[in-house]
Amino acid sequence: QDVKSRGGDFSMVCSKREVRGVVMHSLSAELRRAIDEDELVLYLQPLVDVSAAKTYGAEVLVRWQHPRRGLIMPGDFIPRAERSGLMDDLTFWVLRRGIGYAARLRQGGRDLRISINVSARSLLRRDFPDNLQKLMDERGLPGTALTLELTEDTLMADQSRTLEIVERLAATGVQISIDDFGTGYSQLAYLKRLPVSEIKIDRSFVQDMLESDTDLSIVSATISLAHALKLRAVGEGVESSAQLERLRALGCDLIQGFYVGHPMPVGQFERWLRDRDTHTPVS
Ligand code: C2E
Ligand code: MG
Ligand code: MG
Ligand code: MG
């Protein structure tokens, strides 16, 4: 009986582990299929110029339109893509689609800069700059129409390699933006050598800055730092006109957030652009 119960326990542990393995495996397999069969969807969120109220560009944010589970947000599948070795394929999918879309916008006479998020893993591949260049050549998109958003941690991870890759990208006109600034840690001595063009102030600071003097000081200091380094400052997560006004007063260059526009699928983004054409006074 002893043996039997131990055997029972053992087989239970075994089957639990197996079940978990199968679930993990099937989700990764589903993600693989999502990438191969275009279940991923591009959303676009506008970036606008805070002083001229002009549309400056848009950030590409990926979603997964799952056939049964519905719309899945990137926070719920990007970590899994990282863990199961699918991140390079996902990055490439988004770049290919994002660059294709940016090229179409330009052919339609829209001079917008498209921002695409890139993870550390993908950026640090030796063939990343060449692969990116190939995609841009195929679509005839000039580097100057593209910004890559990298987090502080991505930029700080492997500094000499990052510097080399970012310099190669900058030589093609592609701009680099530091995403979620203030949540990681940046070394200023290194930052000043990196050819970056933009700092995006993390939305946690923007969201609290009207209630918290500390957050307001961080936002203000980050804008000053950006300008001292001759970079654009972007306020992300702007949800109210009061936040917009404050950022304007602080000299922030660009803003992004629900107050201006939510991330939208392509068709809706184009309606949003046309609406702005008719309702925004030209300045
Ligand atoms: P992120 O690059 O910092 O993107 C901004 C996130 O803030 C988006 O969430 C956006 O929907 C959200 N957001 C924008 N404005 C507001 C606002 O006013 N209020 C609030 N509460 N939220 C706002 P999303 O789309 O869920 O993306 C989350 C993160 O997933 C992104 O953060 C980015 O780090 C990552 N991500 C998204 N797409 C990609 C991608 O194609 N590749 C990679 N590597 N990462 C991606
Ligand atoms: Mg981003
Ligand atoms: Mg961000
Ligand atoms: Mg963020």
Side-chain angles (χ1 to χ4, degrees):
Q1 219 196 334
D2 206 26
V3 170
K4 206 173 161 194
S5 74
R6 250 192 281 136
D9 283 344
F10 182 64
S11 73
M12 244 183 72
V13 170
C14 237
S15 66
K16 251 193 217 153
R17 201 174 279 154
E18 247 166 40
V19 166
R20 210 181 297 137
V22 168
V23 170
M24 290 278 289
H25 174 76
S26 76
L27 272 175
S28 302
E30 283 193 70
L31 191 50
R32 169 83 269 159
R33 184 201 63 207
I35 297 168
D36 293 341
E37 296 180 12
D38 292 343
E39 284 172 19
L40 301 179
V41 191
L42 290 191
Y43 273 56
L44 291 142
Q45 185 177 32
L47 274 149
V48 305
D49 186 313
V50 77
S51 46
K54 256 183 10 199
T55 309
Y56 178 85
E59 177 176 4
V60 169
L61 294 158
V62 69
R63 274 102 181 85
W64 179 2
Q65 185 64 59
H66 192 283
R68 291 185 322 278
R69 291 173 224 253
L71 197 66
I72 308 181
M73 302 303 276
D76 295 325
F77 63 90
I78 285 188
R80 178 173 300 278
E82 299 267 10
R83 283 199 304 274
S84 42
L86 295 172
M87 204 52 211
D88 287 337
D89 289 338
L90 192 147
T91 299
F92 198 70
W93 190 97
V94 174
L95 282 171
R96 190 160 46 80
R97 291 308 190 85
I99 286 169
Y101 184 63
R104 268 199 285 141
L105 275 176
R106 284 176 85 81
Q107 281 150 16
R110 294 262 180 205
D111 189 17
L112 297 184
R113 181 178 278 281
I114 297 297
S115 296
I116 301 182
N117 295 285
V118 175
S119 71
R121 239 204 79 90
S122 303
L123 177 83
L124 291 176
R125 285 185 55 118
R126 294 254 174 242
D127 55 359
F128 181 83
D130 287 342
N131 287 340
L132 180 67
Q133 190 61 52
K134 240 177 264 163
L135 287 177
M136 291 192 303
D137 291 346
E138 272 167 29
R139 299 306 187 117
L141 189 75
T144 50
L146 188 66
T147 298
L148 300 182
E149 296 194 3
L150 309 168
T151 63
E152 282 177 289
D153 295 335
T154 296
L155 288 167
M156 298 302 140
D158 182 340
Q159 296 191 0
S160 62
R161 187 130 157 236
T162 302
L163 186 59
E164 183 200 316
I165 288 180
V166 167
E167 275 172 349
R168 278 171 68 195
L169 293 173
T172 70
V174 170
Q175 293 195 354
I176 303 296
S177 168
I178 308 183
D179 205 354
D180 303 341
F181 191 87
T183 60
Y185 89 112
S186 287
Q187 287 163 258
L188 296 180
Y190 168 64
L191 202 57
K192 73 170 188 187
R193 291 163 55 214
L194 268 185
V196 297
S197 306
E198 179 182 283
I199 287 180
K200 294 183 90 168
I201 307 162
D202 190 65
R203 69 166 188 262
S204 60
F205 304 116
V206 173
Q207 272 162 9
D208 295 337
M209 75 180 174
L210 298 180
E211 288 81 43
S212 149
D213 286 342
T214 311
D215 289 271
L216 184 61
S217 301
I218 292 172
V219 171
S220 164
T222 307
I223 293 169
S224 302
L225 173 67
H227 291 166
L229 297 171
K230 305 215 162 43
L231 312 177
R232 292 189 294 275
V234 183
E236 61 174 28
V238 177
E239 294 183 355
S240 69
S241 65
Q243 289 166 342
L244 166 60
E245 287 313 323
R246 182 56 65 90
L247 287 169
R248 194 205 306 266
L250 291 172
C252 193
D253 303 291
L254 303 175
I255 55 161
Q256 179 179 3
F258 295 168
Y259 181 71
V260 180
H262 282 254
M264 307 168 245
V266 167
Q268 200 181 327
F269 177 67
E270 282 175 7
R271 280 195 296 280
W272 182 92
L273 283 174
R274 282 196 300 273
D275 273 5
R276 272 185 68 97
D277 287 345
T278 34
H279 300 303
T280 314
V282 181
S283 49

